[in-house]
């Protein structure tokens, strides 16, 4: 296990208010992926093992870096505006652990892009039925 950094910006918590998500403007966020973490991820991928991100912020860092380096993971410190929506092709992350996110959030779109809208809707129906807690300190799910 290793660590990455994303300094969460306003868009993580700001609801999407436009009907067409392509019109939603993401603010940039500061991210950092150090050399040892980049090397560990590259070695993990070469060995045929999974990269499991803990949290959507980790997903944004890893995929943000990969989007800059044509799918490769390299050390990086800078900004990202990556907005992950359904149809996005994930280049690094093979599985993730994440909270249940609020409706109309960029984070809900990210998990829907990863697992598919139908599966996420089914998971959320179960979470509501079983009274799971949502948001930052709520229950979590593993998406494979």
């Amino acid at each position: 296990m290793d660590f990455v950094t994303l300094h969460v910006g306003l868009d993580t918590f700001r609801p999407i208010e436009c009907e067409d998500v392509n019109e939603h403007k993401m603010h940039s966020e500061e991210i950092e992926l150090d050399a040892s973490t980049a090397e560990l991820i590259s070695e993990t991928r070469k060995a045929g093992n999974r990269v499991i991100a803990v949290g959507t912020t980790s997903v944004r860092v890893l995929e943000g870096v990969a989007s800059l380096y044509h799918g490769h993971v390299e050390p990086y410190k800078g900004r990202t505006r990556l907005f992950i929506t359904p149809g996005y092709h994930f280049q690094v992350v093979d599985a993730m652990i994440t909270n249940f996110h609020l409706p109309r959030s960029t984070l809900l779109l990210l998990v829907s892009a990863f697992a598919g809208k139908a599966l996420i809707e089914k998971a959320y129906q179960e979470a509501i039925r079983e009274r799971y807690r949502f948001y930052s300190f709520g229950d979590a799910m593993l998406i494979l």
Side-chain angles (χ1 to χ4, degrees):
M1 177 167 61
D2 228 327
F3 297 90
V4 299
T5 301
L6 181 138
H7 294 283
V8 176
L10 296 174
D11 279 329
T12 295
F13 301 105
R14 184 172 59 112
I16 297 170
E17 296 175 350
C18 45
E19 288 304 313
D20 181 354
V21 296
N22 296 315
E23 293 176 9
H24 181 79
K25 302 294 183 228
M26 287 290 286
H27 292 109
S28 66
E29 295 173 311
E30 188 75 27
I31 62 174
E32 183 174 356
L33 178 71
D34 65 28
S36 66
T37 303
E39 184 177 337
L40 178 61
I41 291 167
S42 294
E43 289 174 4
T44 298
R45 307 275 307 158
K46 284 179 190 172
N49 295 319
R50 291 183 186 188
V51 173
I52 302 171
V54 179
T56 53
T57 53
S58 297
V59 172
R60 290 216 43 235
V61 171
L62 297 175
E63 295 297 327
V65 169
S67 73
L68 297 170
Y69 295 110
H70 308 290
H72 298 284
V73 178
E74 302 286 339
Y76 178 78
K77 183 175 182 175
R79 302 190 79 70
T80 185
R81 293 186 97 100
L82 182 64
F83 182 24
I84 299 175
T85 61
Y88 176 82
H89 172 72
F90 287 82
Q91 302 177 79
V92 179
V93 176
D94 299 304
M96 77 174 78
I97 299 171
T98 186
N99 299 323
F100 287 89
H101 303 289
L102 296 178
R104 301 193 68 83
S105 69
T106 61
L107 304 176
L108 184 56
L109 283 176
L110 185 153
V111 298
S112 294
F114 190 81
K117 188 174 187 266
L119 184 58
I120 291 300
E121 285 178 357
K122 185 177 178 182
Y124 274 63
Q125 288 170 3
E126 173 77 9
I128 291 166
R129 186 171 43 259
E130 296 297 325
R131 298 179 186 243
Y132 290 5
R133 293 169 304 187
F134 281 57
Y135 217 37
S136 295
F137 297 105
D139 290 301
M141 60 181 156
L142 170 64
I143 307 173
L144 301 171

Coordinates of all heavy atoms in Angstrom, one line a residue, residues 9-41:
G9 N -11.0 20.2 -4.1 CA -11.5 21.5 -4.5 C -13.0 21.6 -4.3 O -13.7 20.6 -3.9
L10 N -13.6 22.7 -4.7 CA -15.0 22.9 -4.6 C -15.9 22.0 -5.3 O -17.0 21.6 -4.9 CB -15.3 24.4 -5.1 CG -14.7 25.5 -4.3 CD1 -15.0 26.8 -5.0 CD2 -15.2 25.5 -2.9
D11 N -15.4 21.5 -6.5 CA -16.3 20.7 -7.3 C -16.5 19.3 -6.7 O -17.5 18.6 -7.1 CB -15.7 20.5 -8.7 CG -16.0 21.7 -9.6 OD1 -17.0 22.3 -9.4 OD2 -15.2 22.0 -10.4
T12 N -15.7 18.8 -5.8 CA -16.0 17.5 -5.2 C -17.3 17.6 -4.4 O -18.0 16.6 -4.4 CB -14.8 17.2 -4.2 OG1 -13.6 17.0 -5.0 CG2 -15.1 15.9 -3.5
F13 N -17.6 18.7 -3.9 CA -18.8 18.8 -3.1 C -20.0 19.6 -3.7 O -21.1 19.6 -3.2 CB -18.5 19.4 -1.7 CG -17.5 18.6 -1.0 CD1 -16.2 19.0 -0.9 CD2 -17.8 17.3 -0.4 CE1 -15.2 18.2 -0.2 CE2 -16.9 16.5 0.2 CZ -15.6 17.0 0.3
R14 N -19.7 20.3 -4.8 CA -20.7 21.1 -5.5 C -21.5 20.3 -6.4 O -21.0 19.5 -7.2 CB -20.0 22.2 -6.3 CG -20.9 23.2 -7.0 CD -20.2 24.3 -7.7 NE -19.2 23.8 -8.7 CZ -19.4 24.0 -10.0 NH1 -20.4 24.7 -10.4 NH2 -18.5 23.5 -10.8
P15 N -22.9 20.3 -6.2 CA -23.8 19.5 -7.0 C -23.7 19.9 -8.5 O -23.5 21.1 -8.8 CB -25.1 19.7 -6.5 CG -25.0 20.5 -5.2 CD -23.6 21.1 -5.2
I16 N -23.9 18.9 -9.4 CA -24.0 19.2 -10.8 C -25.4 19.8 -11.0 O -26.4 19.2 -10.7 CB -23.8 18.0 -11.6 CG1 -22.4 17.4 -11.4 CG2 -24.0 18.2 -13.1 CD1 -22.2 16.1 -11.9
E17 N -25.4 21.0 -11.6 CA -26.7 21.7 -11.7 C -27.2 21.8 -13.2 O -28.3 22.1 -13.4 CB -26.6 23.1 -11.1 CG -26.3 23.1 -9.6 CD -26.1 24.5 -9.0 OE1 -25.9 25.5 -9.7 OE2 -26.1 24.5 -7.8
C18 N -26.3 21.5 -14.1 CA -26.7 21.5 -15.5 C -27.2 20.1 -15.9 O -26.8 19.1 -15.4 CB -25.6 22.0 -16.4 SG -24.0 21.2 -16.1
E19 N -28.2 20.1 -16.9 CA -28.7 18.9 -17.4 C -27.7 18.0 -18.1 O -27.7 16.8 -18.0 CB -30.0 19.1 -18.2 CG -31.2 19.6 -17.4 CD -31.5 18.6 -16.2 OE1 -31.6 17.4 -16.5 OE2 -31.7 19.1 -15.1
D20 N -26.9 18.7 -18.9 CA -25.9 18.0 -19.7 C -24.6 18.1 -18.9 O -24.0 19.2 -18.7 CB -25.7 18.7 -21.1 CG -24.6 18.1 -22.0 OD1 -23.9 17.1 -21.5 OD2 -24.5 18.5 -23.1
V21 N -24.1 16.9 -18.4 CA -22.9 16.9 -17.5 C -21.7 17.4 -18.3 O -20.7 17.9 -17.6 CB -22.6 15.5 -16.9 CG1 -23.7 15.1 -16.0 CG2 -22.3 14.5 -18.0
N22 N -21.7 17.4 -19.6 CA -20.5 17.9 -20.3 C -20.4 19.4 -20.2 O -19.3 20.0 -20.5 CB -20.7 17.6 -21.8 CG -20.6 16.1 -22.0 OD1 -19.7 15.4 -21.5 ND2 -21.5 15.6 -22.8
E23 N -21.4 20.1 -19.7 CA -21.4 21.5 -19.5 C -20.9 21.9 -18.1 O -20.6 23.0 -17.8 CB -22.8 22.1 -19.7 CG -23.3 22.1 -21.1 CD -24.7 22.6 -21.3 OE1 -25.3 23.2 -20.3 OE2 -25.3 22.4 -22.4
H24 N -20.8 20.9 -17.2 CA -20.3 21.1 -15.9 C -18.8 21.4 -15.9 O -18.0 20.7 -16.6 CB -20.5 19.9 -15.0 CG -20.1 20.1 -13.6 ND1 -20.8 20.8 -12.7 CD2 -18.9 19.6 -13.0 CE1 -20.1 20.7 -11.5 NE2 -19.0 20.0 -11.7
K25 N -18.3 22.5 -15.3 CA -16.9 22.8 -15.3 C -16.3 22.4 -14.0 O -16.7 22.9 -13.0 CB -16.7 24.4 -15.5 CG -17.4 24.9 -16.8 CD -16.7 24.3 -18.0 CE -17.2 24.9 -19.3 NZ -17.5 24.0 -20.3
M26 N -15.2 21.6 -14.1 CA -14.5 21.2 -13.0 C -13.4 22.2 -12.7 O -12.7 22.7 -13.6 CB -13.8 19.8 -13.2 CG -14.7 18.6 -13.2 SD -15.4 18.2 -11.6 CE -14.0 17.5 -10.9
H27 N -13.3 22.6 -11.4 CA -12.2 23.4 -11.0 C -10.9 22.4 -10.9 O -11.1 21.2 -10.7 CB -12.4 23.9 -9.6 CG -13.5 25.0 -9.5 ND1 -14.7 24.7 -8.9 CD2 -13.5 26.2 -10.0 CE1 -15.4 25.8 -9.0 NE2 -14.8 26.7 -9.7
S28 N -9.8 23.0 -11.1 CA -8.6 22.2 -11.0 C -8.3 21.9 -9.5 O -8.6 22.7 -8.6 CB -7.4 22.8 -11.7 OG -7.0 24.0 -11.0
E29 N -7.6 20.8 -9.3 CA -7.3 20.4 -7.9 C -5.8 20.0 -8.0 O -5.3 19.4 -8.9 CB -8.1 19.2 -7.5 CG -9.6 19.6 -7.3 CD -10.5 18.4 -7.0 OE1 -10.4 17.4 -7.7 OE2 -11.3 18.5 -6.1
E30 N -5.1 20.3 -6.9 CA -3.7 20.0 -6.8 C -3.5 18.5 -6.4 O -4.2 18.0 -5.5 CB -3.1 20.8 -5.6 CG -1.6 20.7 -5.5 CD -0.8 21.5 -6.6 OE1 -1.4 22.5 -7.1 OE2 0.3 21.1 -6.9
I31 N -2.7 17.8 -7.2 CA -2.4 16.4 -6.9 C -1.0 16.1 -6.8 O -0.1 16.9 -7.3 CB -3.1 15.5 -8.0 CG1 -2.5 15.7 -9.4 CG2 -4.6 15.6 -8.0 CD1 -3.0 14.8 -10.5
E32 N -0.6 15.0 -6.2 CA 0.8 14.6 -6.1 C 0.9 13.0 -6.1 O 0.1 12.4 -5.3 CB 1.5 15.1 -4.9 CG 2.9 14.8 -4.8 CD 3.6 15.5 -3.7 OE1 3.0 16.3 -2.9 OE2 4.8 15.2 -3.5
L33 N 1.8 12.5 -6.9 CA 2.1 11.1 -6.9 C 3.6 11.0 -7.0 O 4.2 11.5 -7.9 CB 1.5 10.5 -8.2 CG 1.8 9.0 -8.4 CD1 1.0 8.1 -7.4 CD2 1.4 8.6 -9.8
D34 N 4.2 10.5 -5.9 CA 5.7 10.5 -5.8 C 6.3 9.3 -6.6 O 5.6 8.4 -7.0 CB 6.1 10.5 -4.4 CG 5.8 9.3 -3.6 OD1 5.6 8.2 -4.1 OD2 5.7 9.4 -2.3
A35 N 7.6 9.3 -6.7 CA 8.3 8.4 -7.5 C 8.1 6.9 -7.0 O 8.0 6.0 -7.8 CB 9.8 8.7 -7.6
S36 N 8.2 6.8 -5.7 CA 8.1 5.4 -5.2 C 6.7 4.8 -5.4 O 6.6 3.6 -5.7 CB 8.5 5.3 -3.7 OG 7.6 6.1 -2.9
T37 N 5.7 5.6 -5.3 CA 4.3 5.1 -5.5 C 4.1 4.8 -7.0 O 3.5 3.8 -7.4 CB 3.3 6.2 -5.0 OG1 3.5 6.4 -3.6 CG2 1.9 5.7 -5.2
A38 N 4.6 5.7 -7.9 CA 4.5 5.5 -9.3 C 5.2 4.1 -9.7 O 4.7 3.3 -10.5 CB 5.1 6.6 -10.1
E39 N 6.4 3.9 -9.1 CA 7.1 2.7 -9.4 C 6.4 1.4 -8.9 O 6.3 0.4 -9.5 CB 8.5 2.7 -8.7 CG 9.4 1.5 -9.1 CD 10.8 1.7 -8.5 OE1 11.2 2.8 -8.2 OE2 11.4 0.6 -8.3
L40 N 5.8 1.5 -7.7 CA 5.0 0.4 -7.1 C 3.8 0.1 -8.0 O 3.5 -1.1 -8.3 CB 4.6 0.8 -5.7 CG 3.7 -0.3 -5.0 CD1 4.5 -1.6 -4.8 CD2 3.2 0.2 -3.6
I41 N 3.1 1.1 -8.5 CA 2.0 0.9 -9.3 C 2.4 0.2 -10.6 O 1.8 -0.7 -11.1 CB 1.2 2.2 -9.6 CG1 0.5 2.7 -8.3 CG2 0.2 2.1 -10.7 CD1 0.0 4.1 -8.3

